[in-house]
Every structure is written in C-alpha cells, then in structure tokens.
Amino acid sequence: MSAYGVGRTPQPDDDGPTPPQPDDVDQIVDAWRRERPDLDVAPLQVLSRVSRLARRLDLDRAQAFARHQLEGWEFDVLSALRRAGAPYALSPGQLIRQTLVTSGTMTNRVDRLQHRGLVERSPSLTDRRGVIVRLTASGQQTVDAAMADLLDRERDLLVELSSSDCEELAAMLRRLLSPFEA
C-alpha cells in the first residue's frame, strides 16, 4: 500500500473498477460542445472537476477544523509550527513565508492564537528585536487531533482510487502546479 493508504478492496468476483458514471461536468461539457462547437472545451473535463473537488475539500477541511474549534487560518499557523519539529517554534517572518500572509495579518493571528493559549511568544535568542512564536502543549494537542481528523476525511475523498491511482494523480497534479510554485 502507498503512502496514501487508500483504494478499493477487490472482491473475489470483482473484474476491476466500475466505469465512472456521467457527472455534472459531463453535462456542462456536452452543453458547451453543443452550443459552441468551435471551442475546444477539453480543459473543462479536468479543471472543472478539480474546482469541484477543491470546493468539497474546503468544506471537509472546515468541518474537520470546526470539530476542534479551529478556523482554517488557525490550522495553517499551528500546523506550520508543528511541522517545524521540536521545539515547534518559528519567527513571525518564517510563519509569514509559510502561510503567505502579510506581517500585519500574522501579528493579528498570533495575538488571537496566544489569547486562546495555543501559542506563546518569547524573545529571540539570536535577535534582540525579534520574537519567536512557539506552539504550546495545548496547541500541539489541538493541531495533532485536527490533522488526524483531516486525514480521515481526505482518505474518504480518495476512496474510489487505488494507491497507484493516487500516486499517479499526485504526480500529474505536481507537474501541473510546478510552474506556479517555482
């Protein structure tokens, strides 16, 4: 099994995956082909599905985070700190780079997380003017539980794909995203 840990369990009389049924995107594409046969609407086959999956993923993530009394932005900051490894601390500048927000936004976010007891600030040992944001034990428990719940939900979204399908899809999406993340 792959790192994704997903996939259908074949049944003894299973001849393989069931062919996919037409979906809403198929109907949209067919309608555009009928109305505008001069256009190549092939990109809709992929990107409309990616868009719909992204919306579904956003909803599932919001539910997973809400279960742990977190907003998405809170999870982003806490998970950046958790991924940093012990002692689970980063400078505000490092957090800004990892979460792609402005310094004013990050200050506000750290203030709110500190008020909830999920992070703490301490003076930087290497820069007299700097501070370090550190995950508290409560913050670590919260982000760990939210991450486990998130992964359960994401596995459910991928249940129709085999492990090798997931690996192939991940490779294709990585290739598609690479020009934007360079």
Side-chain angles (χ1 to χ4, degrees):
M1 187 169 282
S2 79
Y4 297 98
V6 298
R8 293 179 342 105
T9 304
Q11 301 301 314
D13 59 348
D14 194 354
D15 292 329
T18 306
Q21 297 297 313
D23 62 8
D24 291 342
V25 173
D26 290 320
Q27 293 173 6
I28 292 167
V29 168
D30 289 346
W32 276 115
R33 284 184 176 144
R34 182 187 68 243
E35 295 300 316
R36 290 293 310 270
D38 58 310
L39 294 178
D40 176 10
V41 295
L44 294 176
Q45 291 281 5
V46 173
L47 298 176
S48 290
R49 287 183 176 92
V50 168
S51 177
R52 287 168 179 254
L53 282 169
R55 281 193 298 248
R56 174 59 193 261
L57 181 58
D58 285 344
L59 291 171
D60 279 2
R61 284 182 170 186
Q63 289 175 357
F65 301 151
R67 185 168 175 227
H68 303 280
Q69 292 78 48
L70 291 175
E71 297 288 333
W73 66 265
E74 292 172 309
F75 179 82
D76 288 346
V77 174
L78 296 176
S79 65
L81 291 166
R82 182 65 168 98
R83 290 189 314 265
Y88 312 113
L90 295 170
S91 71
Q94 291 169 313
L95 283 169
I96 288 166
R97 283 188 292 282
Q98 289 197 30
T99 60
L100 305 174
V101 298
T102 65
S103 61
T105 298
M106 184 54 66
T107 298
N108 184 327
R109 290 179 175 186
V110 170
D111 287 346
R112 291 171 67 183
L113 290 168
Q114 185 175 15
H115 180 74
R116 290 189 55 200
L118 300 174
V119 301
E120 60 189 12
R121 284 186 174 101
S122 58
S124 170
L125 298 176
T126 59
D127 180 359
R128 287 188 325 202
R129 299 167 296 160
V131 297
I132 295 296
V133 179
R134 186 178 325 278
L135 197 60
T136 63
S138 176
Q140 183 177 343
Q141 290 171 346
T142 300
V143 74
D144 284 353
M147 184 64 177
D149 195 25
L150 172 64
L151 290 173
D152 286 344
R153 289 172 179 271
E154 289 186 355
R155 269 187 215 87
D156 288 346
L157 284 173
L158 296 171
V159 73
E160 294 298 320
L161 301 179
S162 69
S163 295
S164 62
D165 286 342
C166 286
E167 290 170 2
E168 184 178 345
L169 180 58
M172 288 187 286
L173 291 170
R174 183 180 301 110
R175 194 168 68 224
L176 190 61
L177 280 171
S178 67
F180 303 104
E181 295 186 348

